[in-house]
Amino acid sequence: MLNENGAEHKALGMQDKSSWFENDVRERFLRYVQIWTTSDRHSKTKPSSQNQFELARLLMSELGGFGVQDITLTEACYVIARIPATAGHENVPSVGFLAHLDTAPDESGENVKPRVHENYNGGVIELEQGTRLDPEEYPALRNYEGQTIISSDGTTLLGADNKAGISAIMTALRYIYENPEYPHGPFEVVFTSDEEVGRGTEDLPLADLNSEFCYTIDGGSEGTIEYECFNAYSATVKFTGHVIHPGTARGRLVNAVTMSGTFLSMLPRNESPEATDGRFGFYCPVEARADFGSAELHLILRDFEMSELERRVAFLHTLARSVEQSFPGGKVEVEISAQYLNMRTAIEQRPEIIEAAANAVRSTGMEPVFHSIRGGTDGARLTEMGVPTPNIFCGAQNMHGRQEWVAVRSMARAAKTVVNILSELCKR
Ligand SMILES: [Zn+2]
């Protein structure tokens, strides 16, 4: 296809340069996952863990090695790289690609020893400590018979969420720098810290970003494009008891351990993550601390519909009153804070952003798959701040657990999709 300047627009198809992309992204991914970047939800500092800087610094030096000139590492551990347009495409709107440096604190991400399964035979993969990848349980594995897939050794998570996304973006960048004839407008690459603890955009210098829209490369299966996510609240429930020696406690002790347990047992089990899927939301207790005198529960509340989320907030308040009534003298307080909002409404007002991604996925040889995210991304927060940011696949599967895995082919296709989005945007 020719644009008004007569330059040819290219797209990287399914077969184009596949071994180059697969080799580059694989080697990169194996290097990144071995760097410990677990974030810490208890930390008040930014970044929440200093070790995220190690990966950030490595990426800084690799970006410099490609020839990227404008690179910044902020105090809050964001890597921001700006890439100027190729000649004739200076007026194409600037776009950003985002991925996060940290891995989820739910499972250890220290000392990750990736295992490469070449020519995967389609069977059960037995890892250490009884961790298994069984296609019966994880049917996505069946799509990768004969492919190279990467898992952890079974004792830690892998960190494909989101180092598969970082790798895809880095491979795309290297390709663009080594193939300067490939057309693109100006674009930015942002690697964020602390996404997994909900603080990914907290100190992002938004005013310094040029992009009017972005894509996070943080989705799962090949071809996935997501622009709907949960509305998300978190709740802290504080229980105050009354401490008396248990031997003389009759009629006087108010046990905060029991109060918090009572509260927990009254949460509807059919509205838990383990009992819901599709468009149903949930309550999920994520942490508990308790002794005689005081206890604290942390919960997350999720739903695609705001009205349902508000209904759950109201129910938590009802529960709190009900527990107070059954423990005279005890006190229960509920604090709610907003985490992120469903980005659908804002993104639907800019259909061309989704269209560019869908066309890029098609030119890479896949059918776009539209999903609603049962979670959130940095993109949801950015969308709220006025920068529409849908999410695109990076290939990571079973995120956050020891069963996490990724196919090299998926990461290579994510990298090509990034390159193809840039080319798509030049057509406008
Ligand atoms: Zn992620």
Side-chain angles (χ1 to χ4, degrees), residues 306-366:
M306 208 54 193
S307 55
E308 282 294 280
L309 202 59
E310 295 298 352
R311 174 182 65 78
R312 291 197 178 89
V313 169
F315 183 67
L316 290 188
H317 285 289
T318 308
L319 269 191
R321 283 195 300 276
S322 149
V323 170
E324 268 182 357
Q325 276 160 14
S326 4
F327 292 82
K331 204 164 112 192
V332 188
E333 293 157 292
V334 179
E335 280 167 28
I336 302 288
S337 55
Q339 294 181 299
Y340 52 85
L341 294 174
N342 191 342
M343 57 184 154
R344 183 183 58 193
T345 324
I347 291 181
E348 275 175 350
Q349 289 164 6
R350 299 282 309 272
E352 72 278 11
I353 299 174
I354 298 300
E355 211 179 284
N359 288 342
V361 164
R362 280 191 204 98
S363 16
T364 316
M366 297 164 289

Side-chain angles (χ1 to χ4, degrees), residues 100 161-162 195-196 218 399-400:
H100 59 89
D161 176 11
N162 190 209
E195 193 265 3
E196 296 290 5
D218 194 17
M399 297 180 185
H400 297 197

Side-chain angles (χ1 to χ4, degrees), residues 152-394:
S152 75
D153 67 355
T155 64
T156 63
L157 53 63
L158 174 64
D161 176 11
N162 190 209
K163 289 164 184 170
I166 294 180
S167 305
I169 294 172
M170 292 295 280
T171 295
L173 263 176
R174 180 176 168 202
Y175 182 80
I176 281 164
Y177 271 83
E178 290 184 4
N179 298 271
E181 76 285 2
Y182 209 92
H184 60 81
F187 67 100
E188 294 170 307
V189 165
V190 184
F191 298 128
T192 60
S193 56
D194 293 334
E195 193 265 3
E196 296 290 5
V197 292
R199 298 171 58 199
T201 53
E202 198 169 85
D203 290 291
L204 188 63
L206 207 56
D208 294 344
L209 284 190
N210 301 323
S211 300
E212 55 175 81
F213 59 95
C214 295
Y215 299 95
T216 47
I217 312 297
D218 194 17
S221 301
E222 286 176 28
T224 304
I225 301 172
E226 298 162 318
Y227 60 97
E228 177 168 67
C229 63
F230 274 147
N231 294 297
Y233 283 176
S234 70
T236 303
V237 188
K238 289 182 177 156
F239 302 84
T240 313
H242 182 60
V243 183
I244 302 287
H245 187 283
T248 55
R250 184 168 183 179
R252 293 195 293 158
L253 169 69
V254 184
N255 186 338
V257 181
T258 320
M259 286 173 80
S260 65
T262 305
F263 186 97
L264 272 180
S265 71
M266 287 159 80
L267 287 172
R269 289 290 311 276
N270 62 348
E271 291 183 46
S272 62
E274 61 272 33
T276 50
D277 58 14
R279 296 193 60 81
F280 291 95
F282 54 76
Y283 304 86
C284 179
V286 290
E287 208 176 311
R289 184 209 58 78
D291 58 33
F292 255 21
S294 68
E296 204 168 290
L297 294 177
H298 293 275
L299 295 97
I300 56 172
L301 311 181
R302 300 288 187 262
D303 209 283
F304 291 108
E305 306 304 329
M306 208 54 193
S307 55
E308 282 294 280
L309 202 59
E310 295 298 352
R311 174 182 65 78
R312 291 197 178 89
V313 169
F315 183 67
L316 290 188
H317 285 289
T318 308
L319 269 191
R321 283 195 300 276
S322 149
V323 170
E324 268 182 357
Q325 276 160 14
S326 4
F327 292 82
K331 204 164 112 192
V332 188
E333 293 157 292
V334 179
E335 280 167 28
I336 302 288
S337 55
Q339 294 181 299
Y340 52 85
L341 294 174
N342 191 342
M343 57 184 154
R344 183 183 58 193
T345 324
I347 291 181
E348 275 175 350
Q349 289 164 6
R350 299 282 309 272
E352 72 278 11
I353 299 174
I354 298 300
E355 211 179 284
N359 288 342
V361 164
R362 280 191 204 98
S363 16
T364 316
M366 297 164 289
E367 254 324 288
V369 184
F370 293 98
H371 266 176
S372 299
I373 312 171
R374 288 181 60 80
T377 62
D378 280 350
R381 292 304 298 274
L382 276 177
T383 303
E384 262 176 75
M385 296 183 224
V387 184
T389 305
N391 188 32
I392 292 177
F393 73 98
C394 70

